[in-house]
């Protein structure tokens, strides 16, 4: 991945920044600039909480190029509490522990590496909600690396 | 608008063509179709292909195939719409003749997949998904279909084994198709114990990686009889689109573009689902077959798998599907698949489908799906008396 391409997606990948439609209030992720609900412009940034639950999941045993070292890994559709579905890997969990409806939260991890000299792409993954976090106000994770 | 007919078909065997490249495969299918139609000159050539740039570092297939076929100067372009590239190319050829811009058009679907290794082809196929929000998260095409299949099983209470009839039917039909890749029957036991690719999808839910090319020759319907004694009319040609990313759909288990494309096709043809004699659907995965049956109007929601379990999809059933093996067992050379479907439908409507012939077939439907349902192209074909 070209560094500019990784940089361009920083607000979404690191902060889960979507958009809110001024017209109908729909919260959108990924950003799409035109609201699919009412077809009006939706360009106001809106950070999502990063909390949601598993809508569906699978384990990838035959990975695409660039993801071999992570396989087998779990990818899921997450239903965010604000409404949108999002595609992401699940982390810090074994496949047999995952179930549809499992509460999850966003964390920031390495998505993939491109060899010794390539870009290390960071972004969101989701993990089971930690019990000790349940009483704290959850914040979207930030990147320090 | 002018009516359009198919007057020639050609296809290479689907398989691992180590000795042939894109141009040789395309020419083999094109020559067979031109011989079948008895035409020697074309006004235009459209090439459906998805992966040539990624697998062979070769784009510009319109000119490449025209050049290799010795058609100096002919109009030719490549058409791309992921796995729906073949039918997308047919749609352009159809529109050219219907609109009076050309009289004799060839449409070739060609794909060369076996020159790339497993991880590379998995990554190449994932380019049909959303690169920024799906593929970057390690999403593969099998994984996207697995997400659909697991949710479907969760919502409607099916078991994995309930999907077996789709693959058993496809393999049984491929046995009698000399062009099919996987010409052997499979059992329920084999389906239940197949190797997992992306849970709950196994090798026997998924279509194989392969090479192949198929071609059709089109002309105005009122001239068709001069070229072939059993021409086939294109009664409907309809394209619809949906979000590229699965997660952007309000209801992932309802393929909106399938519903729209099928609805438009039925409107154009003046037909209803119950009028269709057989359906060449896009069974890249068993779950896609089920969702396609539902959104096309052949089964109520959540009943696509039940329809298969009841045997309605078999050759002697209410709606035979994958009559020559489907994507599952004929093979799925992605950009060529849409044309293979149409070639097989033409053979059925001509009465040339051999042991797999659907008796008295008059109306056949083909449906080619790009991505997880982002581009859906439905054609309805009719035997001309």
């Amino acid at each position: 991945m070209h560094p500019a391409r990784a940089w361009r997606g920083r607000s979404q990948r690191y902060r889960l920044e979507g958009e809110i439609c001024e017209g109908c209030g729909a919260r959108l992720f990924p950003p799409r600039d035109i609201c699919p609900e009412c077809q009006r412009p939706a360009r106001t940034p809106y950070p999502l909480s990063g909390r949601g639950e598993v809508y569906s999941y699978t384990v990838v045993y035959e990975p695409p190029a660039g993801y071999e070292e992570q396989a087998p890994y779990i990818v899921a559709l997450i239903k965010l509490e604000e409404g949108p579905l999002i595609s992401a890997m699940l982390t810090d969990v074994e496949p047999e522990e995952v179930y549809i409806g499992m509460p999850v939260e966003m964390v920031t991890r390495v998505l993939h590496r491109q060899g010794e000299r390539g870009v290390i792409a960071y972004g969101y993954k989701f993990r089971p909600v930690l019990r000790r976090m349940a009483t704290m106000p959850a914040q979207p994770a930030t990147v320090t690396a | 608008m002018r009516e359009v007919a198919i007057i020639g078909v050609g296809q290479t065997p689907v398989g691992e063509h180590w000795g042939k490249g894109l141009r040789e495969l395309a020419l083999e299918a094109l020559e067979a179709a031109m011989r079948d139609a008895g035409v020697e000159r074309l006004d235009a050539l459209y090439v459906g292909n998805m992966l040539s740039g990624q697998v062979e570092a070769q784009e510009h297939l319109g000119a490449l195939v025209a050049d290799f076929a010795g058609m100096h100067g002919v109009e030719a372009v490549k058409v791309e719409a992921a796995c729906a590239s073949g039918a997308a190319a047919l749609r352009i050829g159809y529109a050219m003749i219907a609109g009076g811009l050309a009289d004799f058009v060839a449409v070739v679907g060609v794909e060369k997949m076996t020159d790339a290794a497993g991880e590379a082809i998995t990554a190449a196929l994932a380019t049909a998904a959303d690169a920024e929000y799906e593929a970057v998260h390690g999403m593969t095409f099998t994984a996207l279909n697995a997400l659909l299949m697991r949710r479907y099983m969760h919502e409607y209470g099916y078991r994995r084994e309930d999907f077996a009839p789709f693959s058993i039917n496809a393999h049984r039909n491929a046995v009698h198709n000399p062009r099919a890749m996987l010409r052997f029957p499979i059992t329920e036991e084999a389906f239940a114990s197949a190797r997992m690719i992306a849970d709950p999808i196994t090798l026997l839910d998924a279509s194989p990686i392969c090479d192949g090319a198929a071609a059709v020759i089109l002309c105005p319907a009122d001239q068709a009889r001069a070229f072939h004694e059993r021409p086939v009319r294109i009664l409907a040609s309809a394209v619809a689109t949906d979000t590229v990313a699965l997660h952007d759909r309000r209801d992932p288990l309802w393929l909106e573009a399938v519903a729209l494309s099928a609805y438009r096709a039925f409107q154009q043809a003046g037909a209803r689902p119950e009028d269709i004699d057989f359906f060449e659907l896009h069974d890249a995965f068993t779950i896609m077959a089920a969702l396609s049956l539902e959104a096309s109007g052949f089964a109520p929601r959540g009943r696509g798998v039940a329809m298969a379990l009841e045997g309605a999809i078999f050759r002697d059933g209410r709606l035979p599907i994958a009559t020559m093996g489907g994507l599952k067992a004929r093979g799925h050379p992605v950009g060529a698949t849409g044309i293979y479907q149409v070639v097989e439908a033409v053979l059925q409507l001509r009465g040339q489908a051999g042991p797999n012939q659907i008796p008295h077939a008059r109306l056949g439907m083909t449906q080619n799906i790009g991505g997880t349902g982002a581009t859906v192209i439905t054609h309805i074909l009719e035997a001309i008396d």
Side-chain angles (χ1 to χ4, degrees), chain B residues 105-258:
Chain B
V105 173
V107 183
V108 182
V110 60
E111 204 70 75
K112 183 78 197 167
M113 302 173 80
T114 60
D115 280 349
E119 314 81 56
I121 205 76
T122 300
L125 287 167
T127 62
D130 184 326
E132 306 287 347
Y133 293 100
E134 291 184 315
V136 74
H137 296 289
M139 207 59 99
T140 64
F141 248 85
T142 313
L144 287 163
N145 280 273
L147 293 171
L148 286 172
M149 185 166 166
R150 187 186 299 281
R151 185 72 196 188
Y152 187 94
M153 290 162 62
H154 173 78
E155 291 207 4
Y156 302 119
Y158 290 108
R159 302 163 306 154
R160 215 187 66 69
E161 307 85 86
D162 294 333
F163 291 75
F166 288 115
S167 299
I168 289 171
N169 174 63
H171 275 263
R172 186 189 294 153
N173 291 343
V175 169
H176 302 294
N177 176 2
R179 310 291 185 193
M181 179 177 187
L182 306 175
R183 301 183 62 192
F184 53 85
I186 61 164
T187 61
E188 285 182 35
E189 294 71 39
F191 185 88
S193 60
R195 179 164 61 87
M196 200 60 77
I197 308 175
D199 194 9
I201 287 182
T202 72
L203 205 56
L204 288 185
D205 288 287
S207 49
I209 305 281
C210 51
D211 310 323
V216 294
I217 309 295
L218 312 177
C219 82
D222 57 10
Q223 299 179 41
R225 191 73 75 183
F227 294 91
H228 201 283
E229 57 182 6
R230 277 171 291 185
V232 167
R233 182 184 289 121
I234 300 180
L235 263 193
S237 169
V239 185
T241 56
D242 197 350
T243 67
V244 168
L246 190 57
H247 57 232
D248 283 331
R249 310 222 178 118
R250 223 168 296 174
D251 179 358
L253 293 182
W254 180 251
L255 298 180
E256 184 88 34
V258 166

Side-chain angles (χ1 to χ4, degrees), chain A residues 2 10 38 51-52 55 77 79-80 114 117 136 141 144:
Chain A
H2 192 279
R10 65 200 180 284
C38 67
R51 287 187 300 263
Y55 174 87
L77 287 172
K79 182 81 174 160
L80 297 173
Q114 292 180 320
R117 291 157 187 259
M136 295 168 60
T144 52

Side-chain angles (χ1 to χ4, degrees), chain B residues 272-297:
Chain B
R272 296 161 304 168
E274 54 268 36
D275 299 327
I276 300 297
D277 294 316
F278 64 94
F279 183 24
E280 295 302 333
L281 47 53
H282 195 91
D283 56 332
F285 298 92
T286 50
I287 181 65
M288 260 304 131
L291 296 177
S292 165
L293 286 173
E294 293 173 20
S296 296

Side-chain angles (χ1 to χ4, degrees), chain A residues 56-58 62 67 73 87, chain B residues 136 138 147 150 195 199 247:
Chain A
S56 191
Y57 66 97
T58 183
E62 295 189 359
Y67 294 81
Y73 53 83
S87 301
Chain B
V136 74
L147 293 171
R150 187 186 299 281
R195 179 164 61 87
D199 194 9
H247 57 232

